Every structure is written in structure tokens, then in C-alpha cells.
Amino acid sequence: MTGPTQIVVIANRLPIARTPGGWRPASGGLVTALRPVLEASRGAWVGWSGSKEEPPAHVSGLSLDLRAVPLSPRLVAAYYQGFSNQTLWPLFHDLVHQPIIDRSWWEAYEGANELFAGAAGALERPRRQPPVLWVHDYHLMLLPRLLRRGGSRSRILYFLHTPFPAPELFARLPWRAELLQGVLGADLVGFHTDMYRENFLRACRYLLPEVSVEGDTVRLPDGRSVRSSTHPISVDARELIKKIGEPRVQRQTRRLREQFGSRTVMLGVDRLDYTKGILQRLRALELLLERRADLRGRVTLVQIAEPSRYEEPRYRQIRVEVEQAVGRINGRFTEPGRAVPVRYMYRSMPLSRLLSYYLLADVALVTSLKDGMNLVAKEYVVCQAATQGSGVLVLSEFAGASQELTQAVLCNPFDEEGSRTGSRRRSPWAKQSAGAACRPWAPTSTPTMFSRGRRRPSPMPLLLKSEPKGPDRSGCSSPGTPRGLRGAGDRLPTPLSE
Ligand code: ADP
Ligand code: F6P
């Protein structure tokens, strides 16, 4: 076979979703980031369909071969909902909740990783030119080693999309050595930030006496070397900018601007996950409205929460808590005849509508307690920069994105009491940050965008608009191409070209 080396992605989920109208390409960061690379290499994707139905091998709109790994409901409950989501997820997010240690879940995790290895091996074996096998995320940490032991001839890459915790936390796992050894089956191991990569290397040094760590490389007793690197995932800025220009997005944005009038709009867009700090954000707003009666009726928080992992009790609980807080704040602070302070939507939303909210919002609040990267922050920056908006990104210092979006207002979401107001920043920060927001992300690209300078984070700041909205800053003030969009491609590096 000639042409570019094929890439086979192996991830927990296939990049497709079952909708009432049939199977469709799924949205989400991983698909968006990988799609251009995979389509250019005639790639394949191995994963679980998330449905009881057998998925097709091809889905219109995705030029990829899909190979489903069938998982029984018992395996899904123990491997995915159990070990992946209730043991590894909270542990890797710095114990925002206590992880549950359950041996039967671990056995299921081993079994599921073996099933993924079998499916990937079946795809690799018939090919004369071995593809690159690219394993993703915390669900499949044992897989690189299983592939190698199964006789794979391929180059194996592993990427972790979550944070990697400090070794002292990781050490709590009874299976810490097995997980590290599993990952070290890869030739190259990637992380979003230098901090996660350094945590991984320190964990190898302290917990695996048989290996030695030299710089960014782990040397194994069998003579192999495993390199580690930092590759922050990003968004497809070119696609987003194209979409912002669509008449539908402009129409929606204009309608939203009319609805919200002169109020300061703050925006939260998150999967409804306890790591995202949605409750802390709501409490900060409540404190602000409690202390500043003059602001009641002048600020609105639009919170868009995407349903997530609702089979798990903790996710149902966080939903109840968020909805109670929204009800309490609206009950306390809605002035007769005026709009509510929190407009809450619990649903998945088409990208075009999300973009309208990004264009509308004066402030985006990304207040994760811990977050591997956070693409919402980058999407907001791209939208504001493309339309020369003056929006402010308030970004948790515990989100991976804070390492790159150095012009954002950093916050500590644990410091609710420290909520304060400030005047909005009018510097062209968005343009500068956009550079980081739209860098390419691929296994072959090497630049690291880690910014070493740390600024002192503020308490969670809620910023206020100091002047009314006018057509001058709207970016969508006239029909046709949004202001500032033309030529944005010249200023912003596109995800593919840099
Ligand atoms: P995570 O990977 O933890 O879900 P990210 O912020 O990195 O968090 O990525 C979330 C992605 O999901 C973003 O691309 C965002 O646009 C999208 N998203 C978030 N909320 C919604 C929603 N309500 N409807 C549709 N897409 C959403
Ligand atoms: O951020 C980690 C992640 O696993 C993403 O890859 C995924 O899009 C998101 O969380 C949702 O997770 P799940 O597949 O469990 O619904």
C-alpha cells in the first residue's frame, strides 16, 4: 500500500452518535481534533458505540473505517461507569470526589482493554504496511502494553486527555504499577501540559523501580525507550470562523442581543460534570448579587449544561444541586417584571447556536475545579477574536487551557468568598490568545505551547460591563460578513497550516 501511513485511533467511544434520524458523526473535542489528521491518512477508528445497536462500518460525513468493540452491559457498568468514571476520573481530577476502589471493576477494566486489543490486532494484522496505532485516554491505559505483547509491528502512541495527578495521589491506586507499565507499552506518550507529563514521569520514577527516567524519556529493563511529550489539544479555528459567518449564526446572535439588551451577559458552557465548578460559579454569582443590590437586573448568567453520564449517581446529584442553586438564585434576585439572573439550559445544543452565545457573551466563565484542557475556553477566544469582540475569558488556573491562554483573567474557583467585581478589560487579549487557541494538534507536530510564566490568580472575579452595547463592538452589526471576520484567517494561524 502506498500513500500516507494509516492511523488507527483506539478510543473508548466511536466518533458517532445514534440519533432518531440514524447514526451521525459525534461532536466533541476528540473528534474535532483528530478528524483532519485521520481523513488525510484514510484512517480507522476502533471503539465502543455507546448503544445496544450494531453501528455501521461507515457513516456519511466521516471518511473513516469504523470498527466497533461490542461491550456487554455488565462490562459497561464495571469497566466504563465503574473503574473509568468512578475510580480513575475523580482520582485524575485531584479527588474532587473520592474515588471508589473495587476489585471487580478492575478485573472488568482488564477484560475490556483485552477486547480493545483484540479488535485493534484484527485490524492491524492483514495490513502489509503497519499503521500507527494511536490509543486515547484513561479508559485504555493497559492497551499499549497488550498491543505490544500481542506482537504488534506498529508504532504505538498514547495520549491522555485528562490531567495526570501528582504521584502521591496516583499511588493510592492498588494497580498503579500495572497502569504505568500498560502505558509504557507505547513508543510515545502525550499529555496536554508539561505539568501532567512531569507528574507521569515522577510517578514512573517513584513507583517503578525497574525503570530509569532521563529527561523526557523512560528507559525500560528490556532496552526500550519511551518518549513523553506535551501536545495541548485545540479547536478547528478555521471551521469555527467559517461557521460564524453563516447567516443563521448572525441571525441568532442578533436575536439574542435584542433579548438581552444592555444587560451584561456571562456565559457557562459545560458538560454537567462535578469537575467543571458550575456550583462554585453559581455561588459566586449569588454572593455578588447579595452584596451589590445595584447589579440585580443588570447581569445575567446563561448556563448551558450538556447532559452527561446520567447513569451515575454523582452526576444525577450534581444536576439536582445545580438546579436547586439556579432556582434559589432566581427566587431570591428576580425583580418584578425583570429578567431572571440565571438562564439555565440542560441540553445538548447545535454548534451554530453555541457560537451565537459565544459571540453574545461579555464574559465566559470557565471555572473548572480541575480540567485536562477545556475547549470551551478556546472556542470562546476564537469567536471573540474573529469578530474583534472585547469579551473577557475568566479561566480557572486548574484548567490545562490556562497554560496557553495567558491573556485570560485567571481565577481560583475554590475561592468563592473572594468574588469581586472589576471593570472589563478592553485590551486586544482575545487576538493574542487566539494564537494558542488554534494551533494544530497531531502526533507528528512537536511544538509545546507551555507558558512557564505563572501569574497570581485572582479570586473568582465577575466582571461588569462598563458601557452599553453598541454596534461598534458587536461584530455582527450589519448583515453579511461579521465585522472583523474578513481577514481573520490572515491574522490567526489555522489549525492545519502552522
Ligand atoms: P470535556 O471534554 O470535559 O467535555 P471540553 O470543554 O474540553 O470538556 O469540551 C467540551 C466540548 O463539548 C466543546 O467542544 C463544547 O463546545 C461542547 N459542548 C459543551 N456543552 C455543550 C452543549 N450543551 N451542547 C453541545 N456541545 C457542547
Ligand atoms: O474529557 C474526557 C472525556 O472522556 C472526553 O473524551 C469525552 O468527550 C467526555 O469526557 C465525555 O465522556 P463520556 O464518553 O464518558 O461521555
Side-chain angles (χ1 to χ4, degrees):
M1 188 186 286
T2 55
T5 308
Q6 257 210 349
I7 297 177
V8 174
V9 163
I10 312 154
N12 177 51
R13 279 188 195 271
L14 284 172
I16 52 174
R18 184 81 177 91
T19 67
W23 290 94
R24 299 259 183 280
S27 51
L30 186 58
V31 189
T32 308
L34 294 185
R35 204 166 161 169
V37 187
L38 283 175
E39 293 191 332
S41 83
R42 294 173 299 165
W45 193 306
V46 178
W48 169 55
S49 72
S51 159
K52 286 182 192 131
E53 273 179 51
E54 175 89 14
H58 296 276
V59 165
S60 137
L62 262 187
S63 22
L64 292 176
D65 296 332
L66 304 172
R67 181 68 61 101
V69 181
L71 300 177
S72 69
R74 277 181 65 179
L75 205 53
V76 170
Y79 141 76
Y80 167 66
Q81 290 160 15
F83 197 76
S84 299
N85 289 351
Q86 296 185 66
T87 309
L88 293 182
W89 182 263
L91 186 77
F92 283 17
H93 288 83
D94 286 359
L95 310 181
V96 176
H97 270 293
Q98 274 307 312
I100 297 172
I101 304 290
D102 180 318
R103 267 160 217 282
S104 68
W105 289 355
W106 166 250
E107 283 158 22
Y109 185 83
E110 288 181 300
N113 273 249
E114 276 161 19
L115 286 179
F116 278 83
L123 205 66
E124 179 194 341
R125 273 190 294 276
R127 298 175 194 226
R128 218 159 351 116
Q129 186 190 344
V132 169
L133 298 179
W134 197 6
V135 180
H136 288 268
D137 233 350
Y138 58 100
H139 314 87
L140 299 175
M141 294 178 80
L142 300 177
L143 186 54
R145 189 187 209 198
L146 289 172
L147 291 169
R148 192 167 292 282
R149 289 200 157 168
S152 171
R153 297 165 294 132
S154 297
R155 190 166 152 71
I156 303 170
L157 315 180
Y158 176 82
F159 190 86
L160 184 69
H161 290 262
T162 63
F164 192 93
E168 311 82 87
L169 297 185
F170 184 72
R172 294 186 185 192
L173 270 178
W175 309 283
R176 60 204 191 182
E178 286 89 335
L179 289 170
L180 291 175
Q181 286 157 350
V183 169
L184 291 173
D187 297 292
L188 177 68
V189 180
F191 302 87
H192 282 311
T193 72
D194 278 355
M195 190 195 283
Y196 309 157
R197 187 170 64 80
E198 281 156 15
N199 281 346
F200 172 78
L201 292 174
R202 286 200 299 135
C204 289
R205 190 180 290 125
Y206 296 135
L207 301 171
L208 296 181
E210 71 274 22
V211 309
S212 65
V213 178
E214 291 163 31
D216 62 2
T217 301
V218 182
R219 302 208 189 281
L220 304 179
D222 64 5
R224 269 193 334 109
S225 293
V226 181
R227 227 166 52 72
S228 66
S229 68
T230 303
H231 291 282
I233 198 172
S234 206
V235 296
D236 189 341
R238 194 160 55 182
E239 266 303 304
L240 289 179
I241 292 170
K242 208 163 96 195
K243 221 165 166 63
I244 293 169
E246 289 177 5
R248 186 166 43 148
V249 175
Q250 293 181 50
R251 250 194 332 271
Q252 284 169 174
T253 311
R254 268 198 304 277
R255 236 178 268 140
L256 287 174
R257 288 209 166 105
E258 277 159 26
Q259 276 175 31
F260 285 89
S262 62
R263 267 174 288 155
T264 296
V265 178
M266 300 186 285
L267 177 68
V269 176
D270 318 77
R271 242 176 350 92
L272 190 40
D273 194 297
Y274 54 80
T275 57
K276 300 288 181 182
I278 304 173
L279 265 185
Q280 286 71 11
R281 189 181 304 165
L282 287 166
R283 287 200 205 109
L285 174 69
E286 188 169 17
L287 282 174
L288 177 71
L289 294 176
E290 219 169 73
R291 289 170 190 176
R292 294 277 311 268
D294 59 305
L295 296 180
R296 297 175 197 165
R298 284 179 52 207
V299 295
T300 299
L301 169 64
V302 176
Q303 177 62 55
I304 304 169
E306 184 171 32
S308 183
R309 303 180 190 167
Y310 48 84
E311 310 84 5
E312 289 156 45
R314 281 172 183 168
Y315 285 78
R316 290 199 293 271
Q317 186 192 333
I318 188 74
R319 181 182 172 192
V320 169
E321 287 169 5
V322 164
E323 293 180 359
Q324 278 172 350
V326 171
R328 190 178 64 241
I329 296 168
N330 284 344
R332 287 184 71 192
F333 300 113
T334 306
E335 303 283 342
R338 315 246 343 229
V340 291
V342 186
R343 192 182 282 197
Y344 171 73
M345 286 166 270
Y346 175 68
R347 72 194 64 143
S348 190
M349 208 170 257
L351 180 62
S352 64
R353 188 155 274 278
L354 269 188
L355 293 180
S356 297
Y357 279 104
Y358 288 142
L359 293 172
L360 167 82
D362 299 289
V363 182
L365 295 174
V366 174
T367 56
S368 313
L369 304 178
K370 190 79 184 176
D371 212 328
M373 172 51 64
N374 198 287
L375 294 180
V376 166
K378 294 188 170 185
E379 289 165 359
Y380 180 69
V381 165
V382 168
C383 290
Q384 289 290 319
T387 53
Q388 293 177 343
S390 54
V392 176
L393 172 65
V394 175
L395 178 58
S396 164
E397 61 170 317
F398 305 112
S402 69
Q403 305 294 322
E404 293 174 84
L405 302 180
T406 49
Q407 300 297 309
V409 176
L410 282 192
C411 76
N412 174 358
F414 294 95
D415 188 7
E416 294 160 22
E417 263 295 309
S419 304
R420 61 180 172 81
T421 61
S423 65
R424 62 188 287 120
R425 185 192 290 236
R426 290 213 153 258
S427 66
W429 66 272
K431 253 184 266 169
Q432 294 162 31
S433 302
C438 46
R439 309 251 172 129
W441 192 75
T444 46
S445 67
T446 45
T448 129
M449 281 158 271
F450 185 70
S451 145
R452 275 157 224 284
R454 301 289 295 149
R455 283 158 298 130
R456 235 176 96 84
S458 36
M460 202 186 299
L462 297 172
L463 291 111
L464 294 178
K465 192 155 51 191
S466 56
E467 49 190 273
K469 282 181 184 157
D472 197 39
R473 51 168 288 282
S474 73
C476 271
S477 54
S478 60
T481 311
R483 245 173 40 76
L485 185 55
R486 199 160 40 84
D490 305 335
R491 288 194 306 273
L492 303 175
T494 69
L496 297 175
S497 68
E498 202 179 272

